[in-house]
Every structure is written in structure tokens, then in C-alpha cells.
Amino acid sequence: MKKHNFYAGPSILSRYTIKNTADAILDFAGTGLSLMEVSHRGKEFVAVCDEARNLVKELLDIPSTHDVIFLGGGASMQFCMIPYNLLKKKASYLDTGTWASKAIKEAKIFGEVEVVASSKDKNYSYIPKNYTVSDDSDYFHITTNNTIFGTQLHHIPQVNIPLVADMSSDIFSRPVDVSLYDAIYAGAQKNLAPAGVTIVIVRRDALGKMERPIPSMLNYQIHVDNNSMYNTPPVVSIYAALQTLKWYKELGGISVMQKKNEEKAAVLYDEIDRNKLFKGTAATEDRSLMNICFVMNDEYRELESEFSSFAAAAGMIGIKGHRSVGGFRASTYNALPPESVKALVETMQAFEKQR
Ligand SMILES: *Cc1c(COP(=O)(O)O)cnc(C)c1O
């Protein structure tokens, strides 16, 4: 039976990415060696890294003011690297979920943190609006897509200070105006590659202004100066990322991805709203196009585990909601084909009929 992969992360990758990476693991670029056993400083892998960096720049239309670096440590490492490199005195954060609050916790180690607003009061089911951000903050940190709670910023806040964004779960899903940001970061395992590499896009002239000493491995400037080769980068993950980036380009780029994502999400949200057994958990205007969260409607709560088994039997994988929300979460990342959304919708309809 066909499996439909709705995991939130690590998550579905294109066959193109998986096949090409598997081929390179057997024989990398005609070297007769595995991708896993070659020097990261050899000309073949340096070419992979350069091409991946250039494709990130091309696909996201990154201005020449910004650099792209590939790091280890996951997005979670960025929770401390961002303030280490950019927080001089004070930074502002928007608390929209578990990942945002972890970023806030780390930033407090480095200086004053202004939490401008939080949606914790309603289990992060909406994106706060109408807040003010201090003009004297060094940056305003946002999480553009809240993977666990299924909310997404559909309007990037207009503030007078540079933005910093965790885009782990929606990078490459829609175009971005990179010029607004001092830094953007994203772990690979949601929309790009197997876990390992984290992409950081950083404005060059935001660096080098810190009085505190920064350990080399945590210093963006060191990684920029060394073309992401200060130490051994996550080679396999970067290679896989390059394949995904090539695939995005072949399909027509990021605005094509956005259109496909809007179409997929609309199909599933329409069914959640129509089907009497289910309801969405996120505020309608803040619904994520990447992580679609829903629960059984109140009068059908006791059917949750029955629907779980029913969906699993129909080939739906990874739709269990995060424990802090419960219910279900279908992640509809770039690589998820529309057929999988259709199959989930049909499963929801079949379950409704059988009642
Ligand atoms: C998954 C995720 C993270 C954590 O990523 P790691 O690579 O596991 O550190 C951080 N932020 C967001 C928005 C995420 O979705």
C-alpha cells in the first residue's frame, strides 16, 4: 500500500533528493568513493557546497549584502548563536510557540529580552497582533511558522529595527524579502534535507559589532570567512540539500512552491471545515500552510483513536498531533504531493460516512 508521509520533521523529501543522494553515497561524482568517505575540502565537495550556496541565493533572491552559511547544531543552536552575535544590549521577541520560547530562554543569557507579545494564553493557537516593538532593540525575533501549533505569520511585521527569523519549517515555501532581515535561520529537516545542516543567511554589516568575545565555532564571521568550512560541515546533509534546491529550481522556483502549497492547504482546510467530525485548532487567519492541525469536534472526541487506526490502515503516516496540542497534524511541506492530501481528505470522508 502507498504510504503518505505527513511527518512534521524529519519529514518527506522528494524522490529526486533521495535517489541522487543514495547514488552519491555509492559513488560520488565519479570518484569511485562514497560521499561519506571523501574530504570535505576536495574539489568535488567544495563544488557541491558552492553550488548549494549559490542556489539558496538565487532561489530566495538574496541581496549581495547578505551571506549564506551552512552550520551544524540544528536550529536550536541558532537560539544561542543569534544573541551571541547580534544582541548587544536588548532584543525583542514574539512568543508564538515552543520554539520561540526556547529562543527567548537562550537570548536571556546574553542581555535584556523584551517579549512584545505572547499567544501562550490560548495554547499558541493564534499569532499576536497590535503590539509595539522598542526602537532601541538590536533586533526583533520572529518564528515565521510554528510547526507544533500550526500557525504562520502571513504578514511580516513592520518594525523600525532589523528582523531575525527562525524559518525552519517554512523556508523555501514562499518568497521572502531578505533585505528586511539581519539573520534568517532554518534547520534542514523540514523542507530541505535530512537533519544535519542548518542554513543561516546573515547581513554582513550586522556582524563584528560585539564587544564580548565569541567562541570561534559560534561566530558567524568565522564561518562566513571560511565558506562554511571552518570545521567539517555535515557533508551528506549539504549534498541532499543541493538536490532539493535543484529540484525546486527545476519546478520553477519558490513562487511555484508557494502556489502548490496554497492549493494543497486549501484542499485539506476545506475538508476540516466541512467534515462534521473535525475542527481546526489554529485561528483561521493564522493557519499554517505547512503544518495543518486539527482535532475531533467536541461531540466526537471519543473517536480520536479510532480515526488514528483508520487513517493508519489507509496509509497515512505521521498525522499524530504534537503532545502539547493533541489530535492530528498533517505536515504539507514542499515535497508532499497533492495526491497525499487528496488521500487524507478521502480517508476523512470515508470515516465520516462509516459513522
Ligand atoms: C524543528 C524546529 C526547530 C528545532 O530544530 P532542531 O534542528 O531540532 O534544533 C526550531 N524551530 C522551528 C520553527 C522548528 O520547526
Side-chain angles (χ1 to χ4, degrees):
M1 185 192 27
K2 174 149 179 49
K3 303 280 188 192
H4 300 280
N5 182 355
F6 293 98
Y7 275 125
S11 44
I12 189 166
L13 293 169
S14 71
R15 283 317 290 179
Y16 181 97
T17 299
I18 295 169
K19 166 114 195 5
N20 289 353
T21 306
D23 287 349
I25 284 173
L26 295 173
D27 179 4
F28 172 50
T31 56
L33 300 174
S34 169
L35 174 63
M36 299 189 295
E37 54 181 9
V38 295
S39 167
H40 59 291
R41 300 193 191 279
K43 69 175 187 314
E44 292 86 0
F45 187 74
V46 169
V48 166
C49 214
D50 288 346
E51 192 179 357
R53 188 186 309 107
N54 289 334
L55 266 179
V56 172
K57 289 184 180 170
E58 182 183 332
L59 288 167
L60 293 180
D61 202 11
I62 298 181
S64 59
T65 45
H66 287 64
D67 286 308
V68 175
I69 47 183
F70 301 124
L71 304 177
S76 301
M77 180 73 101
Q78 297 311 310
F79 297 162
C80 80
M81 280 181 79
I82 291 288
Y84 225 140
N85 286 268
L86 301 175
L87 196 168
K88 289 177 219 101
K89 204 165 168 291
K90 174 174 160 187
S92 300
Y93 278 69
L94 185 60
D95 179 23
T96 51
T98 307
W99 299 117
S101 62
K102 287 187 171 177
I104 291 166
K105 175 171 176 252
E106 300 303 298
K108 285 180 175 165
I109 297 173
F110 298 91
E112 187 188 334
V113 174
E114 170 188 67
V115 178
V116 299
S118 170
S119 47
K120 195 172 185 195
D121 57 340
K122 292 189 178 161
N123 201 27
Y124 296 118
S125 58
Y126 68 103
I127 302 290
K129 288 140 199 128
N130 304 319
Y131 47 80
T132 46
V133 179
S134 296
D135 281 352
D136 63 348
S137 275
D138 295 318
Y139 60 83
F140 178 39
H141 181 285
I142 54 178
T143 309
T144 50
N145 185 71
N146 298 282
T147 324
I148 292 175
F149 301 93
T151 62
Q152 189 172 22
L153 270 72
H154 294 298
H155 305 283
I156 299 307
Q158 300 204 325
V159 291
N160 299 323
I161 56 174
L163 291 167
V164 169
D166 177 356
M167 295 194 186
S168 292
S169 52
D170 68 352
I171 194 163
F172 303 119
S173 73
R174 58 180 179 181
V176 186
D177 181 357
V178 175
S179 70
L180 299 174
Y181 297 85
D182 268 6
I184 292 171
Y185 60 95
Q189 70 272 25
K190 313 285 166 53
N191 232 352
L192 194 63
V197 69
T198 300
I199 291 186
V200 179
I201 302 165
V202 62
R203 185 194 302 274
R204 209 168 302 118
D205 65 14
L207 301 180
K209 296 185 171 159
M210 217 47 65
E211 274 169 27
R212 70 171 71 93
I214 306 175
S216 306
M217 274 299 286
L218 301 180
N219 189 334
Y220 291 133
Q221 190 68 61
I222 298 262
H223 293 286
V224 169
D225 292 346
N226 288 277
N227 289 319
S228 306
M229 297 269 184
Y230 177 70
N231 73 322
T232 317
V235 169
V236 174
S237 182
I238 291 174
Y239 187 87
L242 172 60
Q243 307 315 306
T244 304
L245 295 164
K246 284 184 175 174
W247 188 67
Y248 290 164
K249 185 173 173 179
E250 251 171 50
L251 291 176
I254 302 310
S255 45
V256 172
M257 290 299 133
Q258 179 181 34
K259 189 162 169 291
K260 286 177 189 287
N261 291 328
E262 284 168 355
E263 286 166 4
K264 284 184 291 183
V267 169
L268 185 48
Y269 281 123
D270 282 352
E271 177 60 17
I272 291 168
D273 292 340
R274 186 209 61 79
N275 193 314
K276 68 177 184 303
L277 301 184
F278 302 99
K279 66 172 180 190
T281 57
T284 313
E285 73 275 15
D286 301 323
R287 284 173 161 183
S288 169
L289 302 189
M290 296 279 97
N291 310 99
I292 299 182
C293 295
F294 56 103
V295 293
M296 307 304 304
N297 235 327
D298 296 342
E299 56 271 46
Y300 301 104
R301 272 287 147 87
E302 79 284 3
L303 295 180
E304 183 170 313
S305 67
E306 203 183 311
F307 178 68
S308 278
S309 320
F310 187 85
M316 306 300 136
I317 308 291
I319 61 165
K320 189 173 163 44
H322 189 272
R323 61 188 178 280
S324 53
V325 184
F328 305 96
R329 170 177 51 174
S331 297
T332 53
Y333 295 120
N334 288 359
L336 186 88
E339 297 75 51
S340 290
V341 173
K342 188 160 170 271
L344 176 56
V345 164
E346 284 166 4
T347 302
M348 292 162 76
Q349 291 172 347
F351 189 68
E352 184 190 33
K353 278 218 184 74
Q354 158 209 280
R355 294 305 311 163

